Amino acid sequence: MREVRIRDTLSGELRALPTDEEIGIYACGPTVYSRIHIGNARPFVIFSLLDRFIEGEGYETKLVINVTDINDKIYDAAKVVGEPSGEFAARMTKAYFEDTGRLGLGRPDAEPLATETIGEILELIAELIDTGHAYESGGDVYFKVRSYLPYGKLSNRRTEDMDQGEEAGSESLKQDPLDFALWKAHKQGEDTSWDSPWGPGRPGWHIECSAMAEAELGPSFAIHGGGSDLVFPHHENEIAQSEAAGRPFARLWMHNGMVETDAEKMSKSEGNIFQLSEALDRYGREAVVAYLISGHYRQPLAFGEEQMKQAVAQVERLRNFFREHPVGGGGREPGGPPLGTRAEALDSGSGLAGSQVPIGGPPGSRLGAFRDALADDFNTPRAMAEVFELVAEANRDELPGAPEALLEMLELVGLESLAEVEDAGDAEAEELLAEREEARAAKDFGRADEIRDRLAELGWEVRDGAEGAKLVPKA
Ligand SMILES: [Zn+2]
């Protein structure tokens, strides 16, 4: 088990994850007021892969990514399309599950919805009122910011620079402009509300996350994550609410940088591919994942057609490598394992459970360096550099174990399917070979030759021998 260190936004320091307790990770998920875009996919990918990596290292983990399905923006967007806001939010939540499902990284261990956590939210608000950290005003409930002395410790802002970004009109209800809403009374034009001791209304965004994190991970957990745009006010307010209520809350704060587009330069097509589903349609899941891990998670990541083309080229380079050097020692000659089971062999054989990579030599040391890079503040670009170094080395010289080492690396970043590409080709070639045998048996030599030519195009040479025809990769 490697020591895994992550940069903590709160202390600014690299912090080692404890090895003797469950690593609970709570990452703020999307507010479902539209289909999600590439920027929303970045935390989903980063925290899913972090969870996969540390679990592979032997840590116990639990990954929670919530869905904010109660929010002002949802009321506004539902009105625009003329749909009840509850139905609209449910439809967008389903689309979010589908879009992120297409990334092929599996689901988090828990994906709580705000609408399903109302009971816990009400309890937490009541506790904050009881302990003097919150007050009711005109059917709203506000958090009393000055009652929590460490307020501002995450974002290091001066109070003059703190704007809670709340809707106009709430100032008159607040005791202090710094205060923020935990509960908002039902307003005309809003078509959903929940009962509470302070009258019908709905929770504020920040309290939703405090309650969902605690409901899934308990009062204290290892990592709270999200985009760097959430540091203030969202995460600052989560800390204030939960700590004022006596919870230790998150022990480490981890923030990913924003995906940045040049709005002026962005063409119409780039506007479309910024939507995750469009990018997946156009470039495929591997290129989208490869793009999202191409920069260090804490840095901003530029987005555009140019960057996506680079990701496609990288992915193709890896696919081509596995075409030339299939996992399993180049055993492509008939008589080897049945082709249909190769994908299963990939899944079970050389996965996280047991490595087939020889220790020592370039493949083993590159694999070690890859894991070291991920253990060092989840440095995916440095890890991927190891992948491409090994590809270059293995293209120069025959390196036993290189395809297996690459597969293990790619499994850790959700790109293992790049090694399976040969299966489809193999299956097609085997089918063609069987068809050619039938043609020959029927003395249709013209058809048999056509098939041989087609196989040659696919990179296979047909060798007729005493035991029948064999496929041999063309030199
Ligand atoms: Zn949140």
Side-chain angles (χ1 to χ4, degrees):
M1 187 189 268
R2 277 173 177 70
E3 181 179 273
V4 176
R5 296 184 308 158
I6 298 292
R7 178 78 59 189
D8 171 28
T9 310
L10 187 58
S11 65
E13 289 167 6
L14 273 177
R15 286 272 167 87
L17 299 182
T19 54
D20 55 349
E21 58 187 73
E22 182 185 76
I23 305 298
I25 305 172
Y26 182 91
C28 288
T31 299
V32 284
Y33 63 92
S34 66
R35 290 293 282 272
I36 68 159
H37 54 70
I38 288 271
N40 304 121
R42 192 178 192 195
F44 185 91
V45 168
I46 293 298
F47 291 102
S48 295
L49 293 180
L50 174 72
D51 178 67
R52 176 183 294 213
F53 169 62
I54 59 180
E55 200 180 313
E57 287 294 322
Y59 292 76
E60 290 281 320
T61 70
K62 180 174 179 181
L63 174 65
V64 182
I65 302 182
N66 76 292
V67 176
T68 296
D69 60 346
I70 307 172
N71 190 280
D72 295 2
K73 286 178 180 170
I74 295 173
Y75 289 120
D76 296 343
K79 263 179 217 148
V80 171
V81 294
E83 196 176 350
S85 70
E87 279 171 34
F88 174 79
R91 192 161 60 82
M92 286 298 140
T93 301
K94 192 163 164 271
Y96 159 71
F97 289 142
E98 281 169 11
D99 292 347
T100 47
R102 289 178 63 196
L103 290 164
L105 304 178
R107 300 308 312 172
D109 298 302
E111 300 182 277
L113 307 180
T115 48
E116 293 173 355
T117 320
I118 298 293
E120 289 89 339
I121 293 169
L122 291 175
E123 279 173 36
L124 190 52
I125 296 174
E127 228 179 300
L128 287 167
I129 294 176
D130 288 347
T131 51
H133 291 290
Y135 56 91
E136 189 269 339
S137 176
D140 290 357
V141 178
Y142 291 95
F143 184 85
K144 205 185 281 186
V145 165
R146 289 186 206 275
S147 77
Y148 174 69
L149 292 178
Y151 191 80
K153 66 181 178 179
L154 182 71
S155 56
N156 291 312
R157 286 180 185 227
R158 297 179 308 168
T159 44
E160 306 89 271
D161 298 331
M162 288 179 179
D163 176 358
Q164 297 289 0
E166 299 196 331
E167 66 229 281
S170 59
E171 297 89 353
S172 59
L173 295 169
K174 293 183 183 184
Q175 293 176 0
D176 183 322
L178 265 186
D179 297 348
F180 59 88
L182 301 175
W183 186 260
K184 297 179 188 185
H186 179 251
K187 285 181 197 63
Q188 224 170 13
E190 295 178 355
D191 60 356
T192 54
S193 68
W194 288 263
D195 289 332
S196 84
W198 319 286
R202 61 188 171 95
W205 173 33
H206 318 304
I207 198 78
E208 293 174 359
C209 276
S210 276
M212 285 187 272
E214 185 175 345
E216 293 294 343
L217 297 173
S220 173
F221 54 93
I223 301 175
H224 194 314
S228 56
D229 57 336
L230 300 182
V231 170
F232 185 88
H234 186 52
H235 289 165
E236 197 74 77
N237 292 351
E238 281 189 48
I239 293 176
Q241 297 158 161
S242 293
E243 294 193 358
R247 276 62 160 176
F249 209 50
R251 294 189 291 278
L252 188 154
W253 288 83
M254 180 175 172
H255 289 99
N256 65 270
M258 298 290 96
V259 171
E260 293 181 342
T261 54
D262 188 331
E264 274 176 31
K265 266 204 266 171
M266 192 152 57
S267 65
K268 194 165 178 288
S269 70
E270 280 178 310
N272 292 335
I273 59 168
F274 194 52
Q275 195 171 78
L276 177 61
S277 59
E278 293 280 339
L280 286 165
D281 285 346
R282 187 139 140 205
Y283 302 108
R285 62 163 288 273
E286 289 95 349
V288 171
V289 172
Y291 160 72
L292 286 168
I293 60 170
S294 64
H296 191 278
Y297 76 86
R298 272 190 294 112
Q299 301 301 320
L301 187 63
F303 177 80
E305 274 178 317
E306 192 55 42
Q307 286 82 5
M308 288 312 299
K309 278 181 190 154
Q310 281 172 21
V312 167
Q314 285 197 330
V315 157
E316 274 313 302
R317 206 170 145 210
L318 292 169
R319 266 206 192 97
N320 285 333
F321 178 84
F322 286 109
R323 283 192 185 108
E324 301 279 315
H325 308 87
V327 170
R332 290 201 296 186
E333 287 169 44
L339 291 159
T341 61
R342 184 170 287 158
E344 292 155 36
L346 291 184
D347 283 347
S348 58
S350 57
L352 303 174
S355 178
Q356 291 178 355
V357 179
I359 299 167
S365 63
R366 292 277 176 208
L367 175 59
F370 178 95
R371 290 201 165 117
D372 289 343
L374 294 184
D376 181 15
D377 200 19
F378 208 57
N379 196 328
T380 53
R382 211 172 85 206
M384 290 307 285
E386 295 293 337
V387 166
F388 289 104
E389 287 291 336
L390 182 55
V391 165
E393 286 166 354
N395 278 331
R396 275 197 303 272
D397 305 299
E398 207 49 50
L399 279 183
E404 291 73 22
L406 283 165
L407 175 60
E408 280 195 43
M409 295 175 178
L410 295 178
E411 277 177 332
L412 288 171
V413 288
L415 295 175
E416 63 275 16
S417 54
L418 295 176
E420 288 167 24
V421 71
E422 213 56 58
D423 284 351
D426 283 357
E428 189 185 351
E430 289 291 330
E431 236 168 72
L432 284 168
L433 186 69
E435 216 180 293
R436 178 176 173 273
E437 292 298 280
E438 278 170 33
R440 278 161 57 93
K443 309 236 182 284
D444 184 353
F445 296 110
R447 174 71 189 138
D449 287 349
E450 271 174 35
I451 296 173
R452 189 196 56 210
D453 293 346
R454 173 72 191 127
L455 281 164
E457 281 169 26
L458 292 171
W460 297 95
E461 190 187 320
V462 181
R463 284 195 197 148
D464 295 309
E467 289 116 56
K470 273 188 176 185
L471 286 176
V472 179
K474 282 207 317 189

